[in-house]
Amino acid sequence: MIECQNITKTYKTGEVEFNALEGVSFKIERGEFVAIMGPSGSGKSTLMHILGALDTPTTGQYFLDGQNISLLSDDELAEIRKNKIGFVFQAFNLLARTSVLRNTVLPLVYAGINKNERALRAEIALKAAGLDEVHFNHLSNQLSGGQIQRVAIARALVNNPSLILADEPTGNLDSKTGEIVLKTFEKLNREEGRTIILITHEHDVARHTRRIIHIKDGKIEDDSNNQ
Amino acid sequence: MNFSDIFKETYISLAANKVRSGLTVLGIVIGIGSVIAMISIGEGAKTQIQTSIEDLGSNLLTIFPGVVQPGRGIVSSGRGSAQTLKNEDIETITEIEGVAAIAPEISRRFQITAATGNNTNTTVTGVETNYLFVRNLKLADGFFITDSAARGLGREAVLGSTVAKDLFGENDPIGQSIRINRVNFKVTGLLAAKGGFGFSGPDDMVLVPLSTMQKILAGADYLSTISVSVADKDRMNEVRDNINYELAKKHRVDEPDFSIISQEDILGTLSQVINTFTIFLASIAGISLLVGGIGIMNMMLTTVTERTREIGLRKAIGATKSDINRQFLAEAVALTFVGGFLGVAMGWVIAFTVTSLEIIQTSVSLYSVFLAFGVSAAIGIIFGYYPARRAASLNPIEALRYE
Ligand SMILES: Nc1ncnc2c1ncn2[C@@H]1O[C@H](COP(=O)(O)OP(=O)(O)OP(=O)(O)O)[C@@H](O)[C@H]1O
Ligand SMILES: [Mg+2]
């Protein structure tokens, strides 16, 4: 479902060029639960931005569901993100002072789905992400860190994406809450067959996945199944 | 993203920062409000002057001694400064075709004393019977100066309402006697109050017979004004030309040593002055509107910077450039629209206050309201355009990385 062929990403800061990714190739099939691991600055977020159609590679090809993403314009990328990708970030996932339901529904708003269907799908997604119904009408700043991440996961689910990308989703949580959030991902993968890519630099987090891709200095160091 | 969603997002973001949104709106409110108030005051002044000039009498031509030059006022014509209108001219003008009635007059200021001991200093005008009709005045009580009194040195006086109040208070002035310049007169009539600020001030005036004024009070045989009522409005110019010709012939001069002014002349000049004044006031108000617009732009730019991460997030979950663009533009337009609405209300209140304080009878015209709304929407679009474009063109990754 995902195929990366020799992807590089070069950042230019003035005269200085920096290769954040240097020839990355791998495949991920539908229904996989993969962790991308590596030390800070190794290019994990850069790779995730490309996988999530937020950015395009400098050279190389990236196919998502057979479609070559590397050549698309800004608006076409937005279209891909809207229909095929769900993001969970480490921090600042929700709009401030906006209700849980409104936050969850936002991808559907941009997708032009009608109101009734939106509300229905948001509730299903929130339940799937394990958020208690009492919080549905709370504002984003009335939630705990763990609850925020659940809402973020619900929002990532709500448009039925082919791929869910999570960049250090437990980075801001204590280990117990982080564990609960990771269990949620595991469950979504196991029971609903969602394809999930989880970015982390913690082994404890990667342990929950079934495959780990190690990257270092912009290159894949190791790609192995987990146990 | 459909309209109601844009509206909802706009509401959420503006409500998230109520104080700032409110202050920004205030700039527009003051701008629009003062434009509306200024225009309504200008329009009001214009209408008021129009009516008071039309009140002077219908189809009125006024003949003054001396030459009036446009923009320079009355200029004396060399010899015998401004005493060129004589009693003989009355007959000449009466004979001209198309003249319905004629009212010669001469005025001076005098000290006037009533038997009660009250006194006042005001304009005393010597007139004939026609004056009432030609100048479109009405009697409140008593009777007006008769033909015989006008010619036969009668000692009768008709009081304007202000003068009557000054001299007799609430008492009935009819039948009372007054002294003008130490000459005794008997009050026979009272003029109906006209109000407003007509520049000939019919309320603050005492009318006496023409002959009495010329021979006894002023000791002069000339006239200060001759008012002519023309029978047919469409023949005003023709009658004016005829008077010009006949009177110049009678005075045996090549260039007229008098001036004829019609209501239209006065109306035209005054309207022009007031228009200029209105434009002047409105442009000062317009500057505050511009400042309000810059306030909107300032706030929107701050908002875009502050909400960089939010913009990144929205883009990550599928917002296109035009979605973001529309959202921020909608915020700016919503601010100016609310500002425009409140501004119209504020302008209205100012105009209403000015009216109820009896300063000027203002009128808020529909066109100025539409103009205000148009302008405020335009300001929203113009000053919101750049910030919105800046928001839309943010790179989602940089926006997400922004601390
Ligand atoms: N816009 C940019 N301009 C220049 N250099 C950049 C830019 N974005 C990232 N980099 C560089 O690319 C490298 C990879 O960055 P990236 O954010 O992918 O690291 P990461 O693996 O996610 O690290 P972390 O675990 O700290 O999040 C870093 O050295 C970073 O400095
Ligand atoms: Mg990172």
Side-chain angles (χ1 to χ4, degrees):
Chain A
M1 186 188 87
I2 285 180
E3 187 172 358
C4 293
Q5 296 175 353
N6 213 13
I7 284 180
T8 68
K9 182 73 191 178
T10 309
Y11 289 116
K12 255 193 202 156
T13 323
E15 289 297 295
V16 189
E17 288 196 356
F18 179 81
N19 293 328
L21 294 175
E22 304 184 43
V24 173
S25 305
F26 60 89
K27 275 188 182 180
I28 292 175
E29 298 303 329
R30 188 173 295 280
E32 279 198 77
F33 188 12
V34 183
I36 296 178
M37 276 197 73
S40 188
S42 53
K44 304 184 297 289
S45 294
T46 306
L47 180 59
M48 188 197 85
H49 291 151
I50 291 170
L51 294 178
L54 281 164
D55 206 355
T56 50
T58 312
T59 64
Q61 313 288 327
Y62 166 41
F63 293 92
L64 175 63
D65 290 336
Q67 187 181 9
N68 192 345
I69 306 294
S70 343
L71 307 169
L72 300 182
S73 69
D74 283 356
D75 280 353
E76 288 166 325
L77 288 176
E79 197 68 19
I80 298 284
R81 295 197 292 272
K82 181 153 64 188
N83 298 324
K84 303 199 160 178
I85 316 269
F87 282 101
V88 180
F89 297 103
Q90 176 176 349
F92 198 81
N93 262 304
L94 305 184
L95 299 183
R97 283 172 291 251
T98 307
S99 77
V100 164
L101 276 173
R102 185 70 188 170
N103 263 296
T104 314
V105 111
L106 214 53
L108 304 177
V109 169
Y110 286 117
I113 308 287
N114 77 50
K115 268 197 174 130
N116 294 338
E117 194 183 336
R118 271 190 224 161
L120 209 67
R121 280 167 68 170
E123 280 186 31
I124 294 171
L126 282 165
K127 279 178 191 151
L131 191 79
D132 223 18
E133 207 160 331
V134 293
H135 302 301
F136 284 12
N137 285 309
H138 284 178
L139 299 184
S140 50
N141 40 335
Q142 297 167 335
L143 300 176
S144 73
Q147 288 161 346
I148 287 178
Q149 291 312 73
R150 280 160 189 269
V151 177
I153 293 170
R155 191 191 54 208
L157 287 174
V158 79
N159 57 342
N160 271 321
S162 330
L163 177 62
I164 294 173
L165 288 166
D167 192 352
E168 312 224 20
T170 59
N172 277 4
L173 304 177
D174 62 57
S175 54
K176 213 174 132 200
T177 321
E179 198 71 12
I180 297 171
V181 169
L182 289 168
K183 284 258 159 56
T184 312
F185 278 114
E186 253 182 279
K187 188 168 152 249
L188 286 171
N189 172 256
R190 200 172 352 98
E191 290 174 11
E192 298 191 19
R194 306 270 182 185
T195 315
I196 300 170
I197 301 178
L198 200 140
I199 288 167
T200 182
H201 54 248
E202 290 175 64
H203 275 284
D204 280 352
V205 173
R207 218 168 24 81
H208 290 264
T209 66
R210 287 189 263 160
R211 175 182 167 193
I212 302 177
I213 299 174
H214 285 272
I215 88 171
K216 198 181 172 191
D217 298 334
K219 294 191 197 81
I220 293 185
E221 215 182 29
D222 181 52
D223 182 351
S224 60
N225 282 341
N226 202 359
Q227 281 102 26
Chain B
M1 213 174 177
N2 65 29
F3 186 77
S4 82
D5 284 313
I6 291 183
F7 193 79
K8 181 152 187 188
E9 291 295 323
T10 304
Y11 176 76
I12 292 173
S13 3
L14 292 183
N17 225 322
K18 288 197 188 69
V19 175
R20 190 199 290 170
S21 307
L23 287 175
T24 313
V25 163
L26 195 61
I28 298 294
V29 172
I30 291 171
I32 295 282
S34 41
V35 168
I36 296 253
M38 291 310 149
I39 291 179
S40 75
I41 288 171
E43 292 285 314
K46 204 155 91 182
T47 329
Q48 197 163 342
I49 285 192
Q50 240 154 27
T51 37
S52 61
I53 285 173
E54 272 152 21
D55 267 4
L56 287 181
S58 49
N59 307 347
L60 190 70
L61 289 175
T62 312
I63 308 171
F64 293 106
V67 180
V68 176
Q69 283 185 0
R72 282 225 257 146
I74 297 174
V75 176
S76 69
S77 64
R79 161 196 73 87
S81 75
Q83 297 187 358
T84 52
L85 293 178
K86 302 284 187 199
N87 286 357
E88 301 90 80
D89 296 336
I90 299 171
E91 203 177 330
T92 313
I93 297 168
T94 315
E95 279 165 8
I96 291 171
E97 211 205 314
V99 170
I102 160 169
E105 61 184 87
I106 172 170
S107 342
R108 272 284 160 98
R109 285 189 84 84
F110 285 115
Q111 190 73 24
I112 299 164
T113 327
T116 56
N118 292 345
N119 65 81
T120 180
N121 189 300
T122 190
T123 309
V124 177
T125 307
V127 299
E128 292 187 331
T129 315
N130 271 342
Y131 186 82
L132 205 60
F133 163 73
V134 174
R135 295 302 288 267
N136 204 17
L137 296 172
K138 292 202 169 46
L139 272 187
D141 201 2
F143 51 88
F144 198 65
I145 290 157
T146 56
D147 267 339
S148 59
R151 304 233 165 81
L153 300 176
R155 303 288 172 81
E156 286 140 39
V158 173
L159 302 186
S161 59
T162 312
V163 179
K165 195 166 272 166
D166 287 348
L167 293 176
F168 299 104
E170 296 304 317
N171 297 331
D172 184 9
I174 306 285
Q176 305 269 16
S177 69
I178 56 172
R179 285 168 77 85
I180 303 174
N181 203 21
R182 286 187 222 96
V183 180
N184 272 323
F185 284 83
K186 191 175 159 201
V187 178
T188 62
L190 180 65
L191 289 175
K194 242 187 163 177
F197 66 111
F199 56 89
S200 60
D203 290 350
D204 189 17
M205 180 161 73
V206 175
L207 303 177
V208 297
L210 183 65
S211 57
T212 319
M213 180 69 183
Q214 283 182 328
K215 300 211 168 91
I216 297 174
L217 288 176
D221 65 344
Y222 58 87
L223 296 169
S224 51
T225 311
I226 302 176
S227 302
V228 178
S229 179
V230 178
D232 184 355
K233 196 176 175 69
D234 299 332
R235 292 181 61 194
M236 296 281 282
N237 283 335
E238 186 191 328
V239 173
R240 179 195 192 135
D241 289 346
N242 285 341
I243 296 175
N244 238 334
Y245 174 76
E246 294 292 341
L247 217 51
K249 199 168 88 180
K250 167 113 189 174
H251 291 183
R252 299 204 189 113
V253 287
D254 295 332
E255 289 298 314
D257 52 0
F258 54 88
S259 314
I260 306 177
I261 290 173
S262 69
Q263 276 157 292
E264 241 112 297
D265 296 337
I266 304 170
L267 212 58
T269 315
L270 284 177
S271 299
Q272 214 174 343
V273 171
I274 289 175
N275 277 344
T276 314
F277 194 62
T278 307
I279 290 171
F280 173 72
L281 288 177
S283 20
I284 290 180
I287 290 173
S288 71
L289 193 55
L290 186 73
V291 174
I294 293 170
I296 295 264
M297 182 136 139
N298 188 17
M299 160 167 173
M300 291 310 295
L301 284 174
T302 315
T303 306
V304 169
T305 312
E306 268 182 8
R307 285 158 64 190
T308 301
R309 296 215 55 165
E310 177 198 321
I311 296 164
L313 187 65
R314 285 177 186 276
K315 285 197 158 184
I317 62 176
T320 56
K321 270 188 179 187
S322 66
D323 285 330
I324 302 288
N325 203 343
R326 255 180 275 163
Q327 187 189 336
F328 279 84
L329 207 54
E331 283 181 28
V333 172
L335 286 175
T336 50
F337 226 79
V338 171
F341 188 79
L342 295 177
V344 168
M346 184 185 112
W348 218 306
V349 168
I350 292 177
F352 182 78
T353 312
V354 167
T355 304
S356 56
L357 292 178
E358 291 179 6
I359 300 168
I360 278 180
Q361 188 76 36
T362 61
S363 58
V364 177
S365 55
L366 207 57
Y367 97 87
S368 67
V369 172
F370 280 122
L371 190 77
F373 267 114
V375 166
S376 61
I379 282 179
I381 291 169
I382 292 166
F383 289 98
Y385 177 80
Y386 173 67
R389 245 194 46 171
R390 209 152 107 165
S393 61
L394 278 179
N395 179 339
I397 300 164
E398 273 158 33
L400 283 169
R401 275 186 201 276
Y402 182 85
E403 296 300 326

